[in-house]
Amino acid sequence: MSTTETRRRGGRSGSEARRAARSRGQGMSIPYVTRKVPFYEVLNEEGLSIIEHNADTILEEIGIDFRDDPEALQIWRDAGADVQGERVRMPRGMCRKLIQENAPREFTQIARNPERSVRIGGANTVFVPAYGCPFIHNLDDGRRYGTIEDFRNFVKLAYMSPGLHHSGGTICEPVDLPVNKRHFDMVYSHMKYSDKCFMGSVTHPERAQDTVEMARILFGDQWIDPETGKPRTAVINLINANSPMTFDDTMLGAAKVYARANQACIVTPFILAGAMSPVTVAGTAAQTLAEAMAGMAFVQLVNPGAPVVFGSFASSMSMQSGAPTFGTPEPALVLYVMANLARRLGVPFRSGGSLTASKVPDAQAASESANTLLPTALAGVNFALHTAGWLEGGLAMGYEKFIMDADQAGMMQVLMGGVDLSENGQAMDAIREVGPGKHFLGCAHTQANFENAFYRSPIADNNSFEQWDAEGRLDMAQRANARWKKMLGEYEAPELDPAIDEALQDYMRQRKESFPDSNT
């Protein structure tokens, strides 16, 4: 990809320069990142071919279990796979052919605010909050179970964070609501308190169907694409493999619901290397590719052309305790390899984030998260789940950690924007104006660009020791604590058509009244 831009002739006014600078500075509100820097790759053609060959061998000789779903087994049988019991073996190349002939290389997920719709795949990156945490953590309460109020708070914070492009999914588990009904309130919170794209429920096929029906209400006339006659992709959904080499009926059921409605499925092997895959990078990569291809091919058998995302989540583990570890080099190598394999396969890629095993937003959390987020940016991840808030190996969603991570995502956004080679970026007028032996502080170019010349963190302290001391000696977590409270205090909900809001609430009320509460 070229990193050059056409050089413009003539001068540029100060206001024009400021507008150009704002388009690159921190705090900018763009729907997603379109990278202008190269992909970082760690394997050559020979190495990638070895991984692909081994993945096909796994599919052909070992196979994948599709458990407790007779329909899924029949779908594979009808497609020509060898089905013995719940074990499915696919002829070499079958899955790759199904994916490459049917799955889109890129697709758009629509948001209720069209300006916030995201393009997933290609050179694009979407930063997404963390997902699935049962606990929350902040400096005021410490660690406790999450509630629907916490869920709404994080939706609001994601909506207000320019470094995040998506509202996410199960940002935290609202354990104050019944398990079998909390999906209504979670999906509605994304729809009500944000106008960014969101994820759906996958914990039961009926809950997936509820998500589809609510999205249909939310988007109304925009639900069907008149050019294709199919539903537009309004929801993206996390379908995890039960590694090693297994898909269960819960995930398969949700995948079928979403695929048939033309909604996107992120097929992700969730792997703790050493326990759920081999301890080596190459072994984990081959198993991940095999599992992901099996899941994506299944979606194409259910509905050819339904959008899929190749997911990879691989962490290392302590060989002494068995605990997962994050920010280590081996998972980063897996990430780089899988991103390259996804590009060769021709589908969008999901991985990465800001992962840590730390229980609090400390130096361990910062370093481990940075060691995950930077490879996420360099490798070319298209859908970066777990970008903000992740603590304790995914068990806790941190308020302060969320603010710190969203800040880092803003920095990655600027990094992936590459080098500005416009006339303003070249700054030759400034160099001519200042000349040898002087400074650039007062020149016209600096004055026109100073507001957004460099990324400015909203929580980093760059003042003198004396000023820091006078302002209370606050550390990063304390400053983040003040910021999330300020953001929530200033939050204003995006406008939602009252008739749509009423229809959503009517749907939820009728569905909730149709079956008893349950925590299963």
Side-chain angles (χ1 to χ4, degrees):
M1 178 179 295
S2 173
T3 59
T4 62
E5 299 178 13
T6 301
R7 181 178 299 181
R8 298 176 181 171
R9 297 183 180 273
R12 167 177 280 186
S13 69
S15 61
E16 289 176 322
R18 283 191 292 273
R19 282 195 294 271
R22 288 192 188 100
S23 72
R24 293 173 46 78
Q26 105 292 349
M28 59 185 173
S29 182
I30 61 174
Y32 52 89
V33 180
T34 300
R35 71 186 297 119
K36 297 178 182 177
V37 295
F39 299 112
Y40 186 80
E41 300 178 350
V42 298
L43 282 183
N44 59 17
E45 172 66 29
E46 180 184 7
L48 295 167
S49 296
I50 289 171
I51 302 298
E52 291 170 336
H53 175 84
N54 290 345
D56 275 340
T57 299
I58 292 170
L59 294 172
E60 182 181 39
E61 297 181 7
I62 301 169
I64 305 291
D65 281 358
F66 286 76
R67 293 185 177 171
D68 302 317
D69 192 329
E71 183 187 21
L73 297 173
Q74 189 60 48
I75 288 171
W76 279 113
R77 193 176 291 113
D78 293 343
D82 175 24
V83 180
Q84 302 294 330
E86 295 185 320
R87 181 71 52 85
V88 179
R89 294 178 176 85
M90 301 84 168
R92 183 171 292 272
M94 176 187 186
C95 289
R96 182 173 297 273
K97 185 173 187 290
L98 283 167
I99 295 164
Q100 292 182 330
E101 290 185 353
N102 296 286
R105 297 185 70 90
E106 300 183 29
F107 63 91
T108 296
Q109 182 186 1
I110 61 171
R112 71 175 178 92
N113 177 353
E115 294 182 358
R116 295 188 183 274
S117 296
V118 296
R119 187 72 178 167
I120 298 174
N124 308 312
T125 293
V126 177
F127 285 130
V128 190
Y131 182 108
C133 307
F135 300 99
I136 69 98
H137 180 279
N138 62 44
L139 298 188
D140 304 287
D141 302 327
R143 180 186 191 258
R144 58 170 172 79
Y145 279 109
T147 66
I148 190 61
E149 180 181 4
D150 293 308
F151 191 98
R152 293 168 184 152
N153 284 344
F154 283 116
V155 169
K156 295 172 183 178
L157 291 172
Y159 167 69
M160 299 178 73
S161 299
L164 300 176
H165 313 113
H166 205 277
S167 194
T170 306
I171 300 186
C172 67
E173 284 284 354
V175 299
D176 54 336
L177 300 179
V179 168
N180 67 333
K181 296 182 180 179
R182 65 179 59 157
H183 66 287
F184 292 110
D185 297 87
M186 289 191 286
V187 172
Y188 175 74
S189 294
H190 286 299
M191 295 177 169
K192 172 72 172 179
Y193 300 108
S194 177
D195 61 3
K196 295 182 178 182
C197 295
F198 59 92
M199 303 176 73
S201 176
V202 297
T203 53
H204 192 281
E206 289 186 4
R207 297 167 198 169
Q209 191 62 51
D210 284 326
T211 303
V212 171
E213 296 306 321
M214 291 175 71
R216 194 192 311 271
I217 293 170
L218 179 68
F219 287 96
D221 294 341
Q222 298 300 309
W223 176 250
I224 298 295
D225 184 343
E227 293 185 7
T228 64
K230 297 180 179 180
R232 290 186 169 95
T233 299
V235 188
I236 190 167
N237 313 280
L238 185 59
I239 306 298
N240 282 335
N242 191 359
S243 302
M245 294 165 283
T246 302
F247 285 89
D248 61 37
D249 59 324
T250 298
M251 292 290 101
L252 292 170
K256 287 184 289 186
V257 168
Y258 286 123
R260 286 168 175 152
N262 201 44
Q263 304 307 297
C265 292
I266 309 170
V267 181
T268 305
F270 189 96
I271 288 177
L272 179 61
M276 301 156 71
S277 76
V279 296
T280 62
V281 170
T284 296
Q287 181 184 314
T288 297
L289 179 58
E291 293 176 6
M293 284 202 301
M296 290 186 289
F298 175 73
V299 169
Q300 298 312 307
L301 290 172
V302 172
N303 181 16
V308 291
V309 176
F310 179 165
S312 171
F313 183 99
S315 72
S316 51
M317 66 180 288
S318 167
M319 300 308 291
Q320 287 70 44
S321 68
T325 54
F326 301 94
T328 52
E330 295 84 4
L333 289 171
V334 173
L335 191 159
Y336 286 123
V337 171
M338 303 319 299
N340 203 344
L341 291 169
R343 286 192 290 275
R344 288 161 66 93
L345 187 60
V347 289
F349 180 60
R350 169 257 156 156
S351 192
S354 301
L355 310 182
T356 180
S358 181
K359 318 307 179 284
V360 295
D362 58 4
Q364 178 185 344
S367 64
E368 290 178 350
S369 294
N371 285 342
T372 311
L373 190 60
L374 187 58
T376 300
L378 296 180
V381 172
N382 301 118
F383 193 86
L385 194 60
H386 307 314
T387 294
W390 173 292
L391 279 174
E392 200 184 335
L395 289 176
M397 186 75 169
Y399 277 82
E400 292 80 22
K401 180 67 159 41
F402 188 96
I403 298 300
M404 294 161 63
D405 290 340
D407 182 29
Q408 292 294 309
M411 296 187 192
M412 294 301 103
Q413 186 165 280
V414 175
L415 175 68
M416 288 188 286
V419 177
D420 178 11
L421 290 177
S422 67
E423 182 178 342
N424 183 69
Q426 293 176 55
M428 289 302 298
D429 289 348
I431 296 171
R432 289 190 180 97
E433 178 186 342
V434 173
K438 300 178 183 178
H439 64 75
F440 287 81
L441 293 174
C443 78
H445 184 271
T446 300
Q447 293 299 308
N449 287 277
F450 79 94
E451 288 181 290
N452 292 287
F454 308 110
Y455 182 90
R456 288 181 293 170
S457 168
I459 53 173
D461 183 279
N462 300 301
N463 296 318
S464 67
F465 175 88
E466 289 75 16
Q467 185 170 349
W468 172 77
D469 182 60
E471 292 177 353
R473 293 174 168 251
L474 301 180
D475 63 20
M476 175 72 84
Q478 291 169 319
R479 294 191 295 272
N481 178 269
R483 182 163 178 80
W484 69 255
K485 292 175 180 175
K486 183 175 185 291
M487 290 174 68
L488 291 179
E490 296 174 349
Y491 168 81
E492 295 182 7
E495 184 177 355
L496 177 62
D497 186 328
I500 293 175
D501 195 3
E502 183 178 357
L504 286 168
Q505 294 191 50
D506 284 345
Y507 176 84
M508 291 191 295
R509 181 173 57 254
Q510 292 175 24
R511 286 284 291 129
K512 287 181 178 180
E513 290 174 353
S514 69
F515 55 93
D517 293 357
S518 172
N519 281 318
T520 58

